[in-house]
Amino acid sequence: MTANAEATATEPDMSAAADALAVGNAALSRACSHAVGMGDDHQCFLYDLAHTASALRICDSLVAWGALGDAEARLACGFIADALGEFHARLFAREAQWGLEPGALDGTRDFVAAYRNPAYVAMLAGLDAPSHLDEDFELVAETFRRFGEDKIAPAAEHIHRGDTDIPEDIIGGLAELGCFGLSVPEEYGGFASGSESDYLGMVIATEELSRASLGAGGSLITRPEILTRALERGGSEEQKKHWFPRIATGETMVAVAVTEPDYGSDVANLVVSASPTEGGWLISGTKTWCTFAGRADVLMLLARTDPDRRKAHRGLSLFIVPKPQSEGHDFQFTDERGGTIEGRAIATLGYRGMHSFEIAFDDWFVPAENLIGGDDGIGQGFYLQMAGFENGRLQTAARAVGVMQAAYDEARTYADERKVFGQPIADYQLTQAKLGRMAAIIAAARQYSYEVARMMARGEGALEASMIKAYVCKAAEWVTREAQQLHGGFGFAEEYTVSRLFVDARVLSIFEGADETLCLKVIARRLQAQSA
């Protein structure tokens, strides 16, 4: 029997998948125990450990999902074999660094050989698995998919290539669909009921909008979502009554100002100050990478209210900073007290339309009632913004799934149409294997994003949100790169959608927690703590 025929005859076996995964998880557990107490001298190992743990956590969720049908099982086996194969690659000749013996993963060899066989992976190309969503969520997906196709996608190329503003009809249309109220509690005019549907609806809507455009659709929900979560956790009742209805209707559009030029993920050392003054606070300093700050009506801003830098993150507070709307790539405003705010859009490789600004504040006045939590919020800013950012990581993973799905769709269509050496490139095994691996990654990432959404609705899943963000955003770079590669020279032309998807995907591992920081400071530390 030939290799292709043998792979064709291979049926998915979720029992074998579970057995192989158990071997992988046992090795991972020993590696995590070995990692306890390790610090920056072992960053390369800890980074690989975090990514391996993230991939295997997704695999864990696929064991039950693969039992739901034949397509699910085929995709699950393909993904699990791929993840275990990647674990093998990281471990080879480095077993001692991982605290493992040579051959620790030998028990997975037969499974990986069968389901990482290129002919088996090629069979996954074009395979679609049911979403297993109920009718209400299918309607959510269909509604936002249709809006993306009808309103966002036709404008996406112009926005990207001209680096123009997002048209108001897109923003207004999403407001009419209730997009900005998905996380706002029902009692304040939103659609959040306090159930798992809140998070799941957000994930589904985000994926569909990102499928049409990351910069012009999928990211519009994120900033209102982050502020909503922070207010929900620490805002006063008066603040909730004032801001929630305005956010839900899209009357108030939000940007987030946390990062500073010298401090990205190192939030504890932020220096932008908020000094008390009559009736409120004066903001001074510079923030950067403030996406959508021009069009936004308010900034969710993290500032130092305690000048003692030794207080680190305990000296930070969170503010809602009003500002006038602005079009284009720069703005400058002066308030009635003489304070100024000045913004300049940073030219970026991709992710255009929302514009990412550097903003300079000079005694810009913020009313006292805009300190989130009031007096009780002083020194609580770090914790309040983290409440929003944890959910933002899950949302970023959903954005990555949408971008990957769009790239996969473009690649499949092009592969069917493009002929090379007398036949469509879709007929070649290498093309099929690339598409098959894409299909498995996308299906697994989507399924796990649903699971993490349900966990977060229960008040859990902070680690898992970081894990899916880390894994899926790196995967999106590979998927979009290979989708572009399948287009050949045309993939390098801006007139082809896949070129935009490729450059947009590059930002996913950077914002909402840079990949390295997320892996080393969040995932690896949590794994170490759990194993101590």
Side-chain angles (χ1 to χ4, degrees):
M1 181 180 292
T2 67
N4 278 359
E6 185 178 349
T8 302
T10 301
E11 292 296 321
D13 186 340
M14 293 311 302
S15 177
D19 290 344
L21 187 55
V23 174
N25 278 325
L28 176 66
S29 179
R30 295 196 299 274
C32 289
S33 296
H34 178 67
V36 173
M38 288 186 179
D40 285 347
D41 289 344
H42 301 273
Q43 283 188 344
C44 291
F45 161 62
L46 294 173
Y47 178 80
D48 282 349
L49 180 72
H51 266 289
T52 299
S54 300
L56 294 194
R57 193 65 61 92
I58 297 174
C59 291
D60 289 338
S61 73
L62 297 181
V63 174
W65 180 75
L68 298 177
D70 182 71
E72 295 89 333
R74 291 182 184 279
L75 291 163
C77 285
F79 183 88
I80 293 170
D82 192 69
L84 290 172
E86 290 293 309
F87 191 179
H88 272 275
R90 293 189 179 112
L91 191 59
F92 180 73
R94 296 175 59 202
E95 291 90 352
Q97 296 175 37
W98 286 68
L100 297 171
E101 69 285 355
L105 295 178
D106 279 357
T108 69
R109 187 176 298 275
D110 290 344
F111 179 81
V112 173
Y115 295 102
R116 218 185 187 198
N117 184 316
Y120 179 85
V121 178
M123 288 167 40
L124 303 178
L127 193 61
D128 295 316
S131 68
H132 299 286
L133 297 171
D134 63 28
E135 290 184 2
D136 288 341
F137 288 122
E138 288 285 8
L139 180 59
V140 171
E142 175 60 28
T143 298
F144 284 99
R145 185 181 306 130
R146 186 180 300 114
F147 183 87
E149 292 171 349
D150 293 346
K151 297 294 185 181
I152 299 175
E157 284 303 310
H158 172 72
I159 293 169
H160 169 71
R161 295 171 70 176
D163 198 15
T164 63
D165 295 345
I166 299 173
E168 288 298 321
D169 65 332
I170 290 179
I171 296 172
L174 289 175
E176 289 179 9
L177 290 176
C179 181
F180 304 121
L182 291 172
S183 299
V184 174
E186 290 176 338
E187 60 267 32
Y188 299 100
F191 298 96
S193 60
S195 67
E196 72 174 30
S197 64
D198 302 344
Y199 287 85
L200 198 52
M202 176 272 295
V203 164
I204 293 166
T206 298
E207 178 190 335
E208 294 299 340
L209 294 175
S210 300
R211 191 171 173 177
S213 171
L214 179 68
S219 293
L220 280 169
I221 307 177
T222 307
R223 280 131 203 94
E225 174 89 14
I226 290 172
L227 177 55
T228 295
R229 296 295 178 189
L231 277 170
E232 190 174 37
R233 176 165 174 172
S236 67
E237 184 61 24
E238 291 76 12
Q239 289 170 336
K240 293 175 182 178
K241 287 180 178 178
H242 179 83
W243 293 111
F244 277 161
R246 290 169 170 80
I247 293 172
T249 60
E251 175 186 346
T252 295
M253 298 301 295
V254 182
V256 175
V258 172
T259 301
E260 297 180 7
D262 293 326
Y263 303 101
S265 299
D266 185 12
V267 174
N269 284 307
L270 297 180
V271 297
V272 166
S273 65
S275 305
T277 189
E278 182 180 356
W281 302 80
L282 298 177
I283 307 296
S284 292
T286 302
K287 292 288 186 180
T288 193
W289 298 115
C290 305
T291 303
F292 205 54
R295 169 62 178 79
D297 303 284
V298 299
L299 309 174
M300 188 191 89
L301 181 138
L302 189 63
R304 185 164 296 283
T305 47
D306 192 324
D308 185 354
R309 295 283 301 280
R310 293 172 298 179
K311 295 288 184 66
H313 64 274
R314 295 184 298 277
L316 302 172
S317 302
L318 199 62
F319 295 85
I320 300 175
V321 180
K323 59 165 287 295
Q325 290 182 15
S326 174
E327 297 179 352
H329 295 73
D330 54 76
F331 60 81
Q332 184 173 2
F333 300 107
T334 301
D335 65 29
E336 59 185 17
R337 298 177 179 228
T340 61
I341 180 173
E342 183 175 353
R344 174 189 63 83
I346 302 166
T348 57
L349 176 71
Y351 191 49
R352 298 169 182 163
M354 300 193 78
H355 311 314
S356 293
F357 286 81
E358 182 167 283
I359 305 177
F361 301 87
D362 186 6
D363 287 343
W364 184 257
F365 178 72
V366 179
E369 59 267 24
N370 286 22
L371 168 62
I372 296 182
D375 290 342
D376 291 338
I378 295 177
Q380 297 300 305
F382 172 80
Y383 306 102
L384 296 179
Q385 66 98 19
M386 284 303 298
F389 273 52
E390 286 174 356
N391 191 62
R393 289 169 184 159
L394 171 60
Q395 197 168 42
T396 298
R399 287 186 276 185
V401 174
V403 172
M404 287 193 292
Q405 184 66 58
Y408 176 65
D409 292 342
E410 292 290 326
R412 280 181 59 185
T413 299
Y414 185 83
D416 286 336
E417 296 173 350
R418 175 66 169 170
K419 290 186 177 181
V420 176
F421 303 116
Q423 65 186 104
I425 63 172
D427 291 349
Y428 291 102
Q429 187 197 59
L430 183 56
T431 300
Q432 294 169 4
K434 288 183 177 186
L435 291 170
R437 185 171 187 242
M438 291 180 200
I441 288 171
I442 295 167
R446 177 179 293 118
Q447 188 280 327
Y448 193 54
S449 72
Y450 294 166
E451 182 165 318
V452 176
R454 295 182 179 105
M455 294 177 68
M456 295 192 76
R458 300 193 298 268
E460 306 166 359
L463 172 60
E464 289 76 9
S466 296
M467 284 178 152
I468 190 171
K469 197 271 185 189
Y471 179 86
V472 175
C473 291
K474 277 197 76 174
E477 293 180 29
W478 181 85
V479 169
T480 55
R481 189 261 183 207
E482 292 300 328
Q484 185 187 43
Q485 185 71 19
L486 288 175
H487 281 71
F490 291 111
F492 202 61
E494 282 200 326
E495 65 185 276
Y496 278 75
T497 299
V498 73
S499 68
R500 168 171 55 86
L501 300 172
F502 175 66
V503 293
D504 279 354
R506 189 60 195 88
V507 77
L508 294 166
S509 289
I510 297 173
F511 63 15
E512 310 296 347
D515 182 55
E516 293 77 11
T517 300
L518 195 62
C519 286
L520 295 174
K521 302 298 185 182
V522 179
I523 299 172
R525 285 185 177 179
R526 287 287 299 274
L527 293 173
Q528 290 171 305
Q530 291 174 357
S531 300

